[in-house]
């Protein structure tokens, strides 16, 4: 296990253990409020399933941040401190994920660690300032107070994005920059809703008390369910494209599983080269449909391998495939990649270079072509880097294969 992952888990466990010990020693302040926020966070974790997989439990995140920034409850000052925030958030998150583990889903330790550390960071930035009276002296209860809460939440989300990208980098070995960019892009979507809901709950609790929790959490919960439906539609869309791509296999033009292997390996190479998530989606769709132009041929290409064909024939098949893709309603970027995959690499967009290289590798290596198959295929690709294959893409493919990131057989 990478040391970064171990370090984050150890730090989160230490912070959670220290908070639990302090709370047990000194007792729970405002137990009713602590229980209400604990139930909210646990329910949020129980119905987890976010829009893009980066924040899988937005309701729990909003509740944890609101509890960390809670200053007043129905006109009375809140007395809970940083250790109690960490304890309540950690215990509730653990309780909410327990049913997922009971039903056979793997425990999400990194997610729990991020939840504890994020809530602890927000509480550490806010609670000492509020408890010392500095906020009332500097800002009072006017609009600047709400602005301060938003700034604190924004800083907390940025730190969480940095931590999430570091964990993903340690687990996958993918470049850190694109991972961080994807995390930050997610903040503009569901992240903004989480921050706004957290601030509104923290402010509304000062007037409405615990009634603010259900009133202001229902919209976020409904938004989460809407995102779930959107994710389901996207999954169905991808399955439709995959089914369409299998037409060449069913017709006997390409080997079984060729399109799936090329798509999986192309996505891994795209990750290695730092493509963002939207670009990876276009790349995956194009890789799935890269051979669909073969359906227009009178006679199938032997074994479906287009790499040994003359350059003009490869370009003709690619243009035929692009014309078919444009009739399917798939985004135009996908059709462009399919059309350009047979051009000299210096004239291609990066996605087309990846598809061409990976497709040639699968054609040359053959499905399970022995130990020498992949090595010979990589050697052939390196010999073709003068015109046909970009050296940077070939080396990225070699790194992915060296890490065992090849497609399933």
């Amino acid at each position: 296990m990478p040391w970064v992952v171990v370090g984050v888990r150890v730090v989160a466990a230490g912070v959670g253990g220290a908070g639990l010990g302090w709370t047990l020693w000194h007792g729970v302040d405002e137990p009713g409020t602590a229980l209400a926020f604990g139930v909210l966070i646990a329910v949020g974790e129980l119905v987890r399933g976010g829009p893009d997989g980066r924040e899988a439990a937005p309701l729990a995140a909003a509740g944890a941040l609101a509890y960390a920034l809670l200053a007043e409850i129905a006109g009375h000052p809140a007395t809970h401190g940083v250790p109690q925030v960490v304890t309540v958030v950690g215990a509730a998150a653990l309780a909410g994920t327990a049913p997922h583990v009971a039903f056979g889903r793997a425990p999400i330790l990194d997610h729990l660690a991020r939840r504890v550390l994020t809530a602890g960071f927000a509480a550490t930035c806010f609670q000492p300032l509020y408890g010392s009276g500095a906020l009332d002296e500097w800002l009072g209860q006017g609009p600047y107070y709400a602005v301060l809460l938003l700034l604190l939440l924004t800083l907390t989300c940025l730190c969480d994005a940095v931590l999430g990208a570091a964990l993903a980098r340690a687990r996958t070995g993918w470049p850190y920059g694109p991972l961080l960019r994807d995390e930050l892009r997610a903040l503009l979507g569901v992240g903004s809703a989480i921050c706004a809901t957290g601030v509104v709950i923290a402010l509304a609790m000062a007037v409405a008390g615990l009634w603010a929790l259900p009133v202001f959490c229902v919209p976020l919960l409904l938004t989460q369910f809407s995102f779930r439906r959107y994710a389901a539609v996207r999954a169905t869309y991808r399955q439709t494209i995959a089914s369409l791509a299998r037409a060449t296999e069913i017709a006997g033009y390409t080997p079984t599983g060729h399109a799936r292997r090329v798509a999986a390996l192309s996505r891994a190479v795209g990750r290695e080269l730092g493509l963002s998530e939207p670009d990876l989606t276009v790349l995956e769709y194009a890789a799935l449909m890269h051979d669909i132009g073969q359906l227009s041929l009178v006679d199938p290409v032997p074994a479906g391998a287009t790499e040994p064909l003359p350059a003009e024939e490869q370009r003709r098949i690619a243009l035929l495939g692009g014309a078919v893709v444009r009739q399917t309603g798939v985004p135009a970027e996908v059709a462009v990649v399919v059309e350009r995959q047979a051009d000299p690499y210096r004239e291609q967009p990066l996605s087309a270079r990846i598809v061409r290289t990976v497709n040639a590798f699968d054609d040359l290596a053959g499905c399970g072509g022995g130990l020498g198959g992949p090595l010979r295929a990589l050697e052939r690709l390196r010999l073709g880097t003068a015109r046909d294959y970009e050296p940077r893409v070939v080396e990225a493919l070699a790194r992915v294969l060296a890490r065992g990131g090849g497609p399933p057989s």
Side-chain angles (χ1 to χ4, degrees), residues 72-157:
E72 294 185 9
I73 306 169
H76 302 288
T79 58
H80 67 282
V82 176
Q84 184 168 313
V85 170
V86 172
T87 300
V88 170
V89 171
L94 188 60
T97 56
H100 294 283
V101 179
F103 281 101
R105 306 186 184 106
I108 311 172
L109 298 180
D110 292 348
H111 169 78
L112 293 176
R114 288 176 63 180
R115 179 75 72 233
V116 169
L117 294 177
T118 299
F121 178 83
T124 302
C125 291
F126 175 78
Q127 293 294 335
L129 288 176
Y130 171 75
S132 64
L135 290 183
D136 286 337
E137 181 181 348
W138 298 342
L139 302 177
Q141 295 296 323
Y144 293 113
Y145 179 75
V147 172
L148 175 65
L149 293 184
L150 282 174
L151 289 177
L152 286 178
L153 282 181
T154 301
L155 180 61
T156 301
C157 290

Side-chain angles (χ1 to χ4, degrees), residues 353-398:
R353 299 177 188 183
I354 295 172
V355 172
R356 176 168 188 172
T357 302
V358 175
N359 176 54
F361 171 79
D362 196 74
D363 286 345
L364 293 170
C367 182
L371 289 175
L375 296 178
R376 286 195 298 268
L378 279 175
E379 182 181 356
R380 288 280 301 276
L381 293 179
R382 288 185 172 115
L383 292 174
T385 53
R387 179 182 183 276
D388 296 327
Y389 312 112
E390 183 182 3
R392 185 168 58 114
V393 176
V394 175
E395 295 311 314
L397 172 61

Side-chain angles (χ1 to χ4, degrees), residues 60-349:
L65 293 176
Y67 192 50
L69 301 180
L70 185 61
E72 294 185 9
I73 306 169
H76 302 288
T79 58
H80 67 282
V82 176
Q84 184 168 313
V85 170
V86 172
T87 300
V88 170
V89 171
L94 188 60
T97 56
H100 294 283
V101 179
F103 281 101
R105 306 186 184 106
I108 311 172
L109 298 180
D110 292 348
H111 169 78
L112 293 176
R114 288 176 63 180
R115 179 75 72 233
V116 169
L117 294 177
T118 299
F121 178 83
T124 302
C125 291
F126 175 78
Q127 293 294 335
L129 288 176
Y130 171 75
S132 64
L135 290 183
D136 286 337
E137 181 181 348
W138 298 342
L139 302 177
Q141 295 296 323
Y144 293 113
Y145 179 75
V147 172
L148 175 65
L149 293 184
L150 282 174
L151 289 177
L152 286 178
L153 282 181
T154 301
L155 180 61
T156 301
C157 290
L158 290 176
C159 293
D160 181 64
V162 170
L163 179 60
L167 288 172
R169 171 72 175 84
R171 289 194 308 268
T172 64
W174 295 336
Y176 180 78
L179 291 172
L180 179 59
R181 185 172 63 242
D182 289 340
E183 292 282 348
L184 294 176
R185 183 181 290 111
L187 293 180
L188 301 178
V190 70
S192 60
I194 291 172
C195 289
T197 304
V199 169
V200 169
I201 291 176
L203 294 175
M205 286 282 290
V207 178
L210 294 178
W211 285 106
L213 292 181
V215 171
F216 293 102
C217 285
V218 167
L220 185 59
L221 184 61
L222 295 177
T223 301
Q224 180 178 348
F225 286 137
S226 298
F227 274 127
R228 273 187 173 182
R229 296 189 62 182
Y230 171 71
V233 170
R234 286 188 60 183
T236 302
Y237 183 61
R238 184 194 177 283
Q239 291 171 0
T240 302
I241 292 177
S243 299
L244 181 61
R246 289 192 63 231
T248 56
E249 301 175 11
I250 296 173
Y253 282 80
T254 57
T256 301
H258 171 71
R260 186 177 68 254
R261 293 192 301 273
V262 172
L265 194 50
S266 294
R267 189 176 179 91
V269 173
R271 274 288 189 190
E272 182 72 20
L273 292 172
L275 294 185
S276 63
E277 194 64 34
D279 293 333
L280 288 174
T281 300
V282 171
L283 173 63
E284 182 180 12
Y285 290 170
L288 283 170
M289 306 180 74
H290 75 280
D291 270 334
I292 202 167
Q294 294 196 40
L295 294 175
S296 302
L297 302 179
V298 177
D299 298 317
V301 176
T306 56
E307 192 278 335
L309 296 178
E312 289 303 321
E313 183 65 11
Q314 292 185 36
R315 275 195 286 273
R316 186 175 77 87
I317 294 175
L319 291 174
L320 290 172
V324 173
V325 171
R326 291 182 185 278
Q327 302 300 317
T328 63
V330 174
E333 297 92 336
V334 177
V336 170
V337 175
V338 174
E339 290 171 343
R340 303 287 300 280
Q341 62 176 310
D343 295 346
Y345 79 80
R346 292 180 179 83
E347 303 173 11
Q348 292 175 313

